[in-house]
Coordinates of all heavy atoms in Angstrom, one line a residue:
E1 N 0.9 -1.2 0.0 CA 0.0 0.0 0.0 C 0.9 1.3 0.0 O 1.9 1.3 0.6 CB -0.8 0.0 1.2 CG -1.9 -1.1 1.2 CD -3.2 -0.7 0.5 OE1 -3.4 0.4 0.2 OE2 -4.1 -1.6 0.3
D2 N 0.4 2.4 -0.6 CA 1.1 3.6 -0.6 C 0.6 4.6 0.3 O 0.3 5.8 0.1 CB 1.0 4.2 -2.1 CG 2.0 3.6 -3.0 OD1 3.0 3.1 -2.5 OD2 1.8 3.8 -4.2
N3 N 0.5 4.1 1.6 CA -0.2 5.1 2.6 C 0.8 5.4 3.8 O 0.4 5.7 4.8 CB -1.5 4.5 3.2 CG -1.3 3.2 3.8 OD1 -0.1 2.7 3.8 ND2 -2.3 2.5 4.3
D4 N 2.1 5.3 3.6 CA 3.1 5.7 4.7 C 3.1 7.2 4.8 O 3.4 7.9 3.8 CB 4.5 5.2 4.2 CG 5.5 5.3 5.3 OD1 5.3 6.2 6.2 OD2 6.6 4.6 5.3
D5 N 2.7 7.7 6.0 CA 2.7 9.2 6.2 C 4.1 9.8 6.6 O 4.2 11.0 6.8 CB 1.6 9.5 7.2 CG 2.0 9.0 8.6 OD1 3.1 8.4 8.8 OD2 1.2 9.3 9.5
G6 N 5.1 9.0 6.7 CA 6.5 9.4 7.0 C 6.7 9.9 8.5 O 7.7 10.4 8.8
D7 N 5.6 9.5 9.3 CA 5.9 9.8 10.7 C 6.7 8.7 11.4 O 6.5 7.6 11.4 CB 4.5 9.8 11.3 CG 4.5 10.3 12.8 OD1 5.6 10.4 13.4 OD2 3.3 10.6 13.3
F8 N 7.9 9.2 11.9 CA 8.8 8.4 12.6 C 8.2 8.0 14.0 O 8.8 7.1 14.7 CB 10.2 8.9 12.7 CG 11.0 8.8 11.4 CD1 10.7 9.7 10.4 CD2 12.0 7.8 11.2 CE1 11.4 9.5 9.2 CE2 12.6 7.7 10.1 CZ 12.5 8.6 9.0
G9 N 7.4 8.7 14.4 CA 6.7 8.5 15.8 C 7.6 8.7 17.0 O 7.6 8.1 18.0
V10 N 8.6 9.7 16.8 CA 9.5 10.0 17.9 C 8.6 10.8 19.0 O 8.0 11.8 18.7 CB 10.6 10.9 17.5 CG1 11.5 11.4 18.6 CG2 11.4 10.2 16.5
A11 N 8.5 10.2 20.2 CA 7.8 10.9 21.3 C 8.6 12.0 21.8 O 9.7 11.9 22.2 CB 7.4 9.8 22.3
V12 N 7.9 13.2 21.9 CA 8.6 14.3 22.4 C 7.7 14.7 23.8 O 6.6 15.0 23.7 CB 8.6 15.6 21.5 CG1 9.1 16.9 22.2 CG2 9.3 15.2 20.3
E13 N 8.4 14.6 24.8 CA 7.8 15.0 26.2 C 8.3 16.4 26.6 O 9.5 16.5 26.7 CB 8.0 14.0 27.2 CG 7.3 12.6 26.9 CD 7.5 11.6 27.8 OE1 7.5 11.9 29.1 OE2 7.7 10.4 27.5
T14 N 7.4 17.3 26.9 CA 7.9 18.5 27.4 C 7.7 18.4 28.9 O 6.8 17.7 29.5 CB 7.0 19.7 26.9 OG1 5.6 19.4 27.3 CG2 7.2 19.9 25.4
R15 N 8.7 19.0 29.7 CA 8.7 19.0 31.1 C 8.3 20.3 31.7 O 8.9 21.3 31.5 CB 10.0 18.5 31.7 CG 10.0 18.0 33.1 CD 11.4 17.4 33.3 NE 12.6 18.3 33.1 CZ 13.2 19.0 34.0 NH1 12.6 19.0 35.3 NH2 14.1 19.9 33.8
T16 N 7.1 20.4 32.2 CA 6.6 21.6 32.7 C 7.0 21.7 34.3 O 6.8 20.7 35.0 CB 5.1 21.7 32.7 OG1 4.7 21.5 31.3 CG2 4.6 22.9 33.2
R17 N 7.6 22.8 34.6 CA 8.1 22.9 36.0 C 6.9 23.1 36.9 O 6.1 24.0 36.6 CB 9.2 23.9 36.1 CG 10.5 23.5 35.7 CD 11.6 24.2 36.6 NE 12.9 23.4 36.6 CZ 13.1 22.3 37.3 NH1 12.1 22.0 38.3 NH2 14.2 21.7 37.3
T18 N 6.8 22.4 38.0 CA 5.8 22.6 39.0 C 6.3 23.3 40.2 O 7.5 23.0 40.6 CB 5.1 21.4 39.3 OG1 6.1 20.5 39.8 CG2 4.3 20.9 38.1
S19 N 5.6 24.3 40.8 CA 6.1 24.9 42.0 C 5.6 24.1 43.2 O 4.7 23.5 43.3 CB 5.6 26.3 42.1 OG 4.1 26.4 42.0
R20 N 6.5 24.2 44.3 CA 6.2 23.5 45.5 C 5.1 24.2 46.2 O 5.0 25.5 46.1 CB 7.4 23.5 46.5 CG 8.7 22.8 46.0 CD 9.7 22.8 47.0 NE 11.0 22.2 46.5 CZ 11.3 21.0 46.2 NH1 10.2 20.1 46.5 NH2 12.4 20.6 45.7
P21 N 4.2 23.5 46.9 CA 3.2 24.3 47.6 C 3.8 25.2 48.7 O 4.8 24.9 49.3 CB 2.2 23.2 48.3 CG 3.2 22.1 48.4 CD 4.1 22.1 47.2
P22 N 3.2 26.3 48.9 CA 3.7 27.3 49.9 C 3.6 26.7 51.3 O 2.7 25.9 51.7 CB 2.8 28.5 49.8 CG 1.6 28.0 49.2 CD 1.9 26.9 48.3
L23 N 4.5 27.1 52.1 CA 4.6 26.7 53.5 C 4.2 27.9 54.4 O 4.3 29.0 54.0 CB 6.0 26.2 53.9 CG 6.3 24.9 53.2 CD1 7.9 24.5 53.6 CD2 5.4 23.7 53.7
Y24 N 3.6 27.5 55.6 CA 3.1 28.5 56.5 C 3.7 28.4 57.9 O 3.9 27.2 58.4 CB 1.6 28.5 56.6 CG 1.0 28.8 55.3 CD1 0.9 27.9 54.3 CD2 0.4 30.1 55.2 CE1 0.3 28.3 53.0 CE2 -0.2 30.4 54.0 CZ -0.2 29.5 52.9 OH -0.8 29.9 51.7
K25 N 4.2 29.5 58.4 CA 4.8 29.6 59.7 C 3.6 29.7 60.8 O 2.7 30.5 60.5 CB 5.7 30.9 60.0 CG 6.9 30.8 59.0 CD 7.8 32.0 59.3 CE 7.1 33.3 58.7 NZ 8.0 34.5 58.7
V26 N 3.6 28.8 61.8 CA 2.6 28.9 62.9 C 3.3 29.6 64.0 O 4.4 29.2 64.4 CB 2.1 27.6 63.3 CG1 1.2 27.6 64.5 CG2 1.3 27.0 62.0
M27 N 2.7 30.8 64.5 CA 3.3 31.6 65.5 C 2.5 31.6 66.8 O 1.2 31.7 66.7 CB 3.7 33.0 64.9 CG 4.8 33.0 64.0 SD 4.8 34.4 63.0 CE 3.2 34.5 62.5
L28 N 3.2 31.7 67.9 CA 2.5 31.9 69.2 C 2.9 33.3 69.6 O 4.0 33.7 69.5 CB 3.1 30.8 70.2 CG 2.1 30.2 71.1 CD1 0.8 29.6 70.4 CD2 2.9 29.1 71.9
L29 N 1.9 34.0 70.2 CA 2.0 35.3 70.7 C 2.1 35.4 72.2 O 1.3 34.7 72.8 CB 0.9 36.3 70.1 CG 1.2 36.8 68.7 CD1 1.2 35.6 67.7 CD2 -0.1 37.7 68.3
N30 N 2.9 36.3 72.7 CA 2.8 36.4 74.2 C 1.6 37.3 74.6 O 1.0 38.0 73.8 CB 4.1 37.2 74.6 CG 4.3 37.2 76.1 OD1 4.0 36.2 76.8 ND2 4.8 38.3 76.7
D31 N 1.3 37.0 75.9 CA 0.2 37.8 76.6 C 0.6 37.8 78.0 O 1.6 37.1 78.5 CB -1.2 37.4 76.3 CG -1.4 36.0 76.9 OD1 -1.5 35.9 78.1 OD2 -1.4 34.9 76.2
D32 N 0.0 38.6 78.9 CA 0.3 38.7 80.3 C -0.4 37.7 81.1 O -0.1 37.7 82.4 CB 0.0 40.1 80.8 CG 0.9 41.2 80.2 OD1 2.0 40.8 79.7 OD2 0.5 42.4 80.2
Y33 N -1.4 37.0 80.7 CA -2.2 36.2 81.6 C -2.2 34.7 81.3 O -2.4 34.0 82.2 CB -3.7 36.7 81.3 CG -3.9 38.2 81.5 CD1 -4.0 39.0 80.4 CD2 -3.9 38.6 82.8 CE1 -4.1 40.4 80.6 CE2 -4.0 40.0 83.0 CZ -4.1 40.8 81.9 OH -4.3 42.2 82.1
T34 N -1.9 34.2 80.2 CA -1.9 32.7 79.9 C -0.7 32.1 80.8 O 0.4 32.6 80.7 CB -1.6 32.4 78.4 OG1 -2.7 33.0 77.7 CG2 -1.8 30.9 78.3
P35 N -1.1 31.2 81.7 CA 0.0 30.5 82.4 C 1.1 29.9 81.6 O 0.8 29.2 80.6 CB -0.7 29.5 83.2 CG -2.2 29.9 83.3 CD -2.3 30.5 82.0
M36 N 2.3 29.9 82.1 CA 3.5 29.4 81.4 C 3.2 27.9 81.2 O 3.5 27.4 80.2 CB 4.8 29.6 82.1 CG 5.2 31.1 82.0 SD 6.8 31.3 82.9 CE 7.1 33.0 82.5
E37 N 2.9 27.1 82.2 CA 2.7 25.7 82.1 C 1.6 25.3 81.0 O 1.6 24.3 80.4 CB 2.3 25.1 83.4 CG 3.5 24.8 84.3 CD 4.6 24.0 83.5 OE1 4.3 23.2 82.8 OE2 5.8 24.3 83.7
F38 N 0.6 26.2 80.8 CA -0.5 25.9 79.8 C 0.1 26.0 78.4 O -0.1 25.1 77.6 CB -1.6 27.0 80.0 CG -2.7 26.8 79.0 CD1 -3.6 25.7 79.1 CD2 -2.8 27.4 77.8 CE1 -4.7 25.6 78.2 CE2 -3.8 27.2 76.9 CZ -4.7 26.3 77.1
V39 N 1.0 27.0 78.2 CA 1.6 27.2 76.9 C 2.6 25.9 76.7 O 2.6 25.4 75.5 CB 2.5 28.5 76.9 CG1 3.2 28.6 75.6 CG2 1.5 29.7 77.1
V40 N 3.3 25.6 77.7 CA 4.2 24.4 77.6 C 3.4 23.2 77.2 O 3.7 22.4 76.3 CB 5.0 24.1 78.9 CG1 5.7 22.8 78.8 CG2 5.9 25.3 79.2
H41 N 2.3 23.0 77.8 CA 1.4 21.8 77.6 C 0.9 21.8 76.1 O 0.8 20.7 75.5 CB 0.1 21.8 78.6 CG -0.9 20.8 78.3 ND1 -0.6 19.4 78.5 CD2 -2.1 20.8 77.7 CE1 -1.5 18.7 78.2 NE2 -2.6 19.6 77.7
V42 N 0.4 23.0 75.7 CA -0.1 23.2 74.3 C 1.0 22.8 73.3 O 0.8 22.1 72.4 CB -0.5 24.6 74.0 CG1 -0.6 25.0 72.6 CG2 -1.9 24.8 74.7
L43 N 2.3 23.3 73.6 CA 3.3 23.0 72.6 C 3.7 21.5 72.7 O 4.0 20.9 71.6 CB 4.6 23.8 73.0 CG 4.4 25.3 72.8 CD1 5.7 26.1 73.3 CD2 4.3 25.7 71.2
E44 N 3.6 20.8 73.7 CA 3.9 19.4 73.8 C 2.8 18.6 73.1 O 3.0 17.7 72.3 CB 3.8 18.9 75.3 CG 5.0 19.3 76.1 CD 5.0 18.9 77.6 OE1 3.9 19.3 78.2 OE2 5.8 18.4 78.1
R45 N 1.5 19.0 73.4 CA 0.4 18.3 72.8 C 0.1 18.4 71.3 O -0.1 17.5 70.6 CB -1.0 18.8 73.6 CG -2.1 18.2 73.1 CD -3.2 18.2 74.1 NE -4.5 17.7 73.6 CZ -5.6 17.6 74.3 NH1 -5.6 18.1 75.5 NH2 -6.7 17.1 73.8
F46 N 0.3 19.7 70.8 CA 0.0 19.9 69.3 C 1.2 20.1 68.5 O 1.0 20.0 67.2 CB -0.9 21.1 69.3 CG -2.3 21.0 70.0 CD1 -2.6 21.9 70.9 CD2 -3.1 19.9 69.7 CE1 -3.9 21.8 71.6 CE2 -4.3 19.9 70.3 CZ -4.6 20.8 71.3
F47 N 2.4 20.2 69.0 CA 3.5 20.5 68.2 C 4.6 19.3 68.5 O 5.8 19.5 67.9 CB 4.1 21.8 68.3 CG 3.1 22.9 67.9 CD1 2.2 23.4 68.8 CD2 3.1 23.3 66.6 CE1 1.2 24.4 68.5 CE2 2.1 24.2 66.1 CZ 1.2 24.8 67.0
G48 N 4.3 18.4 69.1 CA 5.1 17.2 69.4 C 6.5 17.5 70.0 O 7.5 16.8 69.7
M49 N 6.5 18.5 70.8 CA 7.8 18.8 71.5 C 7.9 18.1 72.8 O 7.0 17.7 73.4 CB 7.8 20.4 71.7 CG 7.7 21.2 70.4 SD 7.9 23.0 71.0 CE 7.4 23.7 69.5
T50 N 9.2 17.8 73.2 CA 9.4 17.4 74.5 C 9.2 18.5 75.5 O 9.0 19.7 75.1 CB 10.9 16.9 74.7 OG1 11.8 18.1 74.5 CG2 11.3 15.9 73.6
H51 N 9.1 18.2 76.7 CA 8.9 19.2 77.7 C 10.0 20.2 77.8 O 9.7 21.5 77.8 CB 8.9 18.5 79.2 CG 8.4 19.5 80.2 ND1 7.0 19.8 80.4 CD2 9.0 20.3 81.2 CE1 6.9 20.6 81.4 NE2 8.1 21.0 81.8
A52 N 11.3 19.9 77.5 CA 12.4 20.8 77.5 C 12.3 21.7 76.3 O 12.4 22.9 76.4 CB 13.6 20.0 77.5
E53 N 12.0 21.1 75.2 CA 11.8 22.0 73.9 C 10.7 22.9 74.1 O 10.8 24.1 73.8 CB 11.5 21.0 72.7 CG 12.6 20.2 72.2 CD 12.2 19.1 71.2 OE1 11.0 18.8 71.2 OE2 13.1 18.5 70.7
A54 N 9.5 22.5 74.7 CA 8.4 23.3 74.8 C 8.6 24.4 75.8 O 8.2 25.6 75.5 CB 7.2 22.4 75.3
F55 N 9.4 24.1 76.9 CA 9.7 25.1 77.8 C 10.5 26.2 77.3 O 10.4 27.4 77.4 CB 10.3 24.5 79.0 CG 10.3 25.4 80.3 CD1 9.2 25.3 81.2 CD2 11.3 26.3 80.5 CE1 9.2 26.1 82.3 CE2 11.3 27.2 81.6 CZ 10.3 27.1 82.6
E56 N 11.6 25.9 76.4 CA 12.4 26.8 75.8 C 11.7 27.7 74.8 O 11.9 29.0 74.8 CB 13.6 26.0 75.0 CG 14.7 26.8 74.5 CD 15.7 25.9 73.9 OE1 16.1 24.9 74.4 OE2 16.1 26.2 72.7
I57 N 10.8 27.2 74.0 CA 10.0 28.0 73.0 C 9.1 28.9 73.8 O 9.0 30.1 73.5 CB 9.2 27.0 72.0 CG1 10.2 26.2 71.3 CG2 8.3 27.9 71.2 CD1 10.9 26.9 70.1
M58 N 8.4 28.4 74.8 CA 7.5 29.2 75.7 C 8.3 30.4 76.2 O 7.8 31.6 76.1 CB 6.9 28.4 76.8 CG 6.0 29.1 77.6 SD 6.7 30.1 78.9 CE 7.6 28.9 79.9
L59 N 9.5 30.2 76.7 CA 10.3 31.3 77.3 C 10.7 32.3 76.2 O 10.7 33.5 76.4 CB 11.7 30.7 78.0 CG 11.5 30.5 79.4 CD1 12.9 30.2 80.0 CD2 10.8 31.5 80.2
T60 N 11.0 31.7 75.0 CA 11.3 32.7 73.8 C 10.2 33.6 73.5 O 10.3 34.8 73.4 CB 11.7 31.9 72.6 OG1 12.8 31.0 72.9 CG2 12.0 32.8 71.4
V61 N 8.9 33.0 73.5 CA 7.7 33.8 73.3 C 7.6 34.8 74.4 O 7.3 36.1 74.2 CB 6.5 32.9 73.2 CG1 5.3 33.7 73.1 CG2 6.6 31.9 72.0
H62 N 7.7 34.4 75.6 CA 7.6 35.2 76.8 C 8.5 36.5 76.7 O 8.1 37.6 77.1 CB 7.8 34.4 78.0 CG 7.8 35.2 79.3 ND1 6.5 35.7 79.8 CD2 8.7 35.5 80.2 CE1 6.8 36.3 81.0 NE2 8.0 36.3 81.3
K63 N 9.8 36.2 76.3 CA 10.8 37.2 76.3 C 10.7 38.2 75.1 O 11.0 39.4 75.1 CB 12.2 36.7 76.4 CG 12.4 36.0 77.8 CD 13.9 35.6 77.9 CE 14.1 34.3 78.5 NZ 15.5 33.7 78.4
K64 N 10.4 37.5 73.9 CA 10.6 38.2 72.7 C 9.2 38.7 72.0 O 9.2 39.5 71.1 CB 11.2 37.3 71.6 CG 12.5 36.8 72.0 CD 13.7 37.2 71.2 CE 15.0 36.7 71.9 NZ 16.2 36.7 71.0
G65 N 8.1 38.1 72.6 CA 6.8 38.6 72.2 C 6.2 37.6 71.2 O 4.9 37.5 71.2
L66 N 6.9 36.9 70.5 CA 6.4 35.8 69.6 C 7.5 34.8 69.2 O 8.6 35.2 69.2 CB 5.6 36.4 68.5 CG 6.4 36.7 67.2 CD1 5.4 37.3 66.1 CD2 7.4 37.8 67.4
A67 N 7.1 33.7 68.6 CA 8.0 32.8 68.1 C 7.4 31.9 67.1 O 6.1 31.6 67.3 CB 8.7 32.0 69.2
V68 N 8.1 31.5 66.1 CA 7.6 30.4 65.2 C 7.7 29.1 65.9 O 8.7 28.7 66.4 CB 8.4 30.4 63.9 CG1 8.0 29.3 62.9 CG2 8.3 31.8 63.1
V69 N 6.5 28.4 65.9 CA 6.6 27.1 66.7 C 6.5 25.9 65.7 O 6.7 24.7 66.1 CB 5.4 27.0 67.6 CG1 5.6 28.1 68.7 CG2 4.0 27.1 67.0
G70 N 6.3 26.2 64.4 CA 6.5 25.2 63.4 C 6.1 25.7 62.0 O 5.6 26.9 61.9
V71 N 6.4 24.9 60.9 CA 6.2 25.4 59.5 C 5.6 24.1 58.9 O 6.0 23.0 58.9 CB 7.6 25.6 58.8 CG1 7.3 26.0 57.4 CG2 8.2 26.8 59.5
F72 N 4.4 24.4 58.2 CA 3.5 23.4 57.8 C 2.8 23.8 56.5 O 2.9 25.0 56.1 CB 2.4 23.1 58.8 CG 2.9 22.9 60.1 CD1 2.9 23.8 61.2 CD2 3.3 21.6 60.6 CE1 3.3 23.6 62.5 CE2 3.8 21.3 61.8 CZ 3.8 22.4 62.8
S73 N 2.2 22.8 55.8 CA 1.4 23.1 54.6 C 0.2 23.9 55.2 O -0.1 24.0 56.3 CB 0.8 21.8 54.1 OG -0.1 21.1 54.9
H74 N -0.6 24.5 54.2 CA -1.7 25.4 54.6 C -2.7 24.7 55.6 O -3.2 25.2 56.5 CB -2.4 26.0 53.3 CG -3.4 27.0 53.7 ND1 -4.7 26.6 54.0 CD2 -3.3 28.4 53.8 CE1 -5.4 27.8 54.2 NE2 -4.5 28.9 54.1
E75 N -3.1 23.5 55.1 CA -4.2 22.8 55.8 C -3.6 22.4 57.2 O -4.4 22.4 58.2 CB -4.5 21.4 55.0 CG -5.7 20.7 55.7 CD -6.3 19.7 54.8 OE1 -6.1 19.7 53.5 OE2 -6.9 18.8 55.4
I76 N -2.4 21.9 57.3 CA -1.9 21.4 58.6 C -1.8 22.6 59.5 O -2.1 22.6 60.7 CB -0.6 20.7 58.5 CG1 -0.7 19.4 57.6 CG2 0.0 20.3 59.9 CD1 -1.6 18.3 58.2
A77 N -1.3 23.8 59.0 CA -1.2 25.1 59.7 C -2.4 25.4 60.3 O -2.6 25.9 61.5 CB -0.4 26.1 58.9
E78 N -3.4 25.5 59.4 CA -4.8 25.9 59.9 C -5.3 25.0 61.0 O -6.0 25.4 62.0 CB -5.8 25.8 58.7 CG -6.1 27.1 58.1 CD -7.1 27.0 57.0 OE1 -7.6 25.9 56.7 OE2 -7.4 28.1 56.5
T79 N -5.1 23.6 60.9 CA -5.5 22.7 62.0 C -4.8 23.1 63.3 O -5.5 23.1 64.3 CB -5.3 21.3 61.5 OG1 -5.9 21.0 60.2 CG2 -5.6 20.3 62.6
K80 N -3.6 23.3 63.3 CA -2.8 23.6 64.5 C -3.3 24.9 65.1 O -3.5 24.9 66.3 CB -1.3 23.9 64.2 CG -0.6 22.7 63.5 CD -0.3 21.5 64.5 CE 0.4 20.4 63.8 NZ 0.4 19.3 64.6
V81 N -3.5 25.9 64.3 CA -4.1 27.2 64.8 C -5.4 27.0 65.5 O -5.7 27.5 66.6 CB -4.1 28.2 63.7 CG1 -4.9 29.5 64.2 CG2 -2.7 28.7 63.3
T82 N -6.2 26.3 64.8 CA -7.6 26.0 65.3 C -7.6 25.1 66.6 O -8.3 25.5 67.6 CB -8.4 25.2 64.3 OG1 -8.6 26.0 63.1 CG2 -9.8 24.8 64.9
Q83 N -6.6 24.2 66.7 CA -6.5 23.4 67.9 C -6.0 24.2 69.1 O -6.6 24.0 70.2 CB -5.5 22.2 67.7 CG -6.1 21.1 66.8 CD -4.9 20.1 66.4 OE1 -3.7 20.4 66.2 NE2 -5.4 18.8 66.2
V84 N -5.1 25.1 68.9 CA -4.5 25.9 69.9 C -5.6 26.9 70.4 O -5.8 27.0 71.6 CB -3.2 26.7 69.5 CG1 -2.8 27.6 70.5 CG2 -2.1 25.7 69.2
M85 N -6.3 27.6 69.4 CA -7.2 28.6 69.7 C -8.4 28.0 70.5 O -9.0 28.6 71.4 CB -7.6 29.3 68.5 CG -6.6 30.2 67.8 SD -5.8 31.4 68.9 CE -7.1 32.7 68.7
D86 N -8.8 26.9 70.1 CA -9.9 26.1 70.8 C -9.6 25.7 72.2 O -10.4 26.0 73.2 CB -10.4 24.8 70.1 CG -11.2 25.1 68.8 OD1 -11.5 26.3 68.5 OD2 -11.4 24.2 68.0
M87 N -8.3 25.3 72.3 CA -7.9 24.8 73.7 C -7.8 26.1 74.6 O -8.2 26.0 75.7 CB -6.5 24.2 73.5 CG -5.8 23.7 74.8 SD -6.2 22.0 75.1 CE -5.1 21.7 76.5
A88 N -7.2 27.2 74.1 CA -7.1 28.4 74.9 C -8.5 29.0 75.2 O -8.7 29.3 76.3 CB -6.4 29.4 74.1
R89 N -9.4 29.0 74.3 CA -10.8 29.4 74.6 C -11.5 28.5 75.6 O -12.2 29.0 76.6 CB -11.7 29.5 73.3 CG -13.0 30.1 73.5 CD -13.7 30.2 72.2 NE -13.6 29.0 71.2 CZ -14.1 27.8 71.5 NH1 -14.9 27.6 72.6 NH2 -13.8 26.8 70.7
R90 N -11.3 27.2 75.5 CA -11.9 26.3 76.4 C -11.5 26.7 77.9 O -12.2 26.5 79.0 CB -11.7 24.9 76.1 CG -12.6 24.3 75.0 CD -12.6 22.8 75.0 NE -11.3 22.2 75.1 CZ -10.6 22.0 74.0 NH1 -11.0 22.2 72.7 NH2 -9.4 21.4 74.1
H91 N -10.1 27.0 78.0 CA -9.6 27.3 79.4 C -9.6 28.8 79.8 O -9.1 29.2 80.7 CB -8.2 26.8 79.5 CG -8.1 25.3 79.4 ND1 -8.2 24.5 78.3 CD2 -7.9 24.4 80.5 CE1 -8.1 23.2 78.6 NE2 -7.9 23.2 79.9
Q92 N -10.3 29.5 78.8 CA -10.4 31.0 79.0 C -9.1 31.7 79.2 O -9.0 32.7 80.0 CB -11.4 31.3 80.2 CG -12.7 30.6 80.0 CD -13.8 31.0 81.1 OE1 -13.7 32.2 81.5 NE2 -14.7 30.1 81.4
H93 N -8.2 31.3 78.4 CA -6.9 32.1 78.4 C -6.8 32.8 77.0 O -7.3 32.4 76.0 CB -5.7 31.0 78.4 CG -5.6 30.3 79.6 ND1 -5.7 30.9 80.9 CD2 -5.4 29.0 79.8 CE1 -5.5 29.9 81.8 NE2 -5.4 28.7 81.2
P94 N -6.1 34.0 77.1 CA -6.2 34.9 75.9 C -5.0 34.5 74.9 O -4.8 35.4 73.9 CB -5.9 36.3 76.4 CG -5.1 36.0 77.7 CD -5.6 34.7 78.2
L95 N -4.4 33.4 75.0 CA -3.3 32.9 74.2 C -3.8 33.0 72.6 O -4.8 32.6 72.3 CB -3.0 31.5 74.4 CG -1.9 30.8 73.6 CD1 -0.6 31.5 74.0 CD2 -1.8 29.3 74.0
Q96 N -2.9 33.6 71.9 CA -3.1 33.8 70.5 C -2.2 33.1 69.6 O -1.0 33.0 69.9 CB -3.1 35.3 70.1 CG -4.1 36.2 70.7 CD -5.5 35.9 70.1 OE1 -5.6 35.8 68.9 NE2 -6.5 35.7 71.0
C97 N -2.6 32.4 68.5 CA -1.8 31.6 67.7 C -2.2 32.0 66.2 O -3.5 32.1 65.9 CB -2.1 30.2 67.9 SG -1.1 29.0 66.9
T98 N -1.2 32.3 65.4 CA -1.6 32.8 64.0 C -0.7 32.0 63.1 O 0.3 31.5 63.4 CB -1.4 34.3 63.9 OG1 0.1 34.6 64.1 CG2 -2.1 35.1 64.8
M99 N -1.1 32.2 61.8 CA -0.3 31.6 60.7 C 0.1 32.6 59.7 O -0.6 33.6 59.5 CB -0.9 30.4 60.0 CG -2.2 30.7 59.4 SD -3.1 29.1 58.9 CE -2.4 28.8 57.4
E100 N 1.2 32.5 58.9 CA 1.7 33.5 58.0 C 2.5 32.7 56.9 O 3.2 31.8 57.2 CB 2.6 34.5 58.7 CG 3.2 35.5 57.9 CD 4.1 36.4 58.7 OE1 3.6 37.1 59.6 OE2 5.4 36.4 58.4
K101 N 2.2 33.1 55.7 CA 3.0 32.4 54.5 C 4.5 32.7 54.7 O 4.8 33.9 55.0 CB 2.4 33.0 53.2 CG 2.8 32.1 52.0 CD 2.5 32.7 50.7 CE 1.5 32.0 50.0 NZ 1.3 32.6 48.6
E102 N 5.3 31.6 54.5 CA 6.7 31.8 54.7 C 7.3 32.7 53.7 O 7.0 32.7 52.5 CB 7.3 30.4 54.7 CG 8.5 30.2 55.6 CD 9.1 28.8 55.6 OE1 9.0 28.2 54.5 OE2 9.6 28.4 56.5
Ligands
TYC1 N1 3.7 35.9 79.6 C1 3.0 34.7 80.1 C2 3.2 34.8 81.6 O1 4.0 35.5 82.2 C3 3.4 33.4 79.7 C4 3.2 33.2 78.2 C5 4.2 32.7 77.3 C6 2.0 33.6 77.6 C7 4.0 32.4 76.0 C8 1.7 33.3 76.2 O2 2.5 32.5 74.1 C9 2.8 32.8 75.4 N2 2.4 34.1 82.3

């Protein structure tokens, strides 16, 4: 048959660069009323810190006004903020936790 179209069939794949999803810093803010031990407990419970790590970060927040307590995907960061804020509200402490794009 005379139906050869001359196509060698070489596959050409283009590689499109994909960007990594943005990361979010979760921050704890200082206040004058939330007990130090409560903050330490929150850091142990929701951020997987040891007691010593949690105590150190709590003191940093207490002295400097705020500290980054972790860096996460948007969804995980939102969950952490909600968990901390719910826990603080349940105990009637004014503790504030926020997130910010890195
Ligand atoms: N400043 C508080 C106190 O003296 C302790 C504290 C630490 C509060 C960290 C909030 O994110 C915080 N009891």
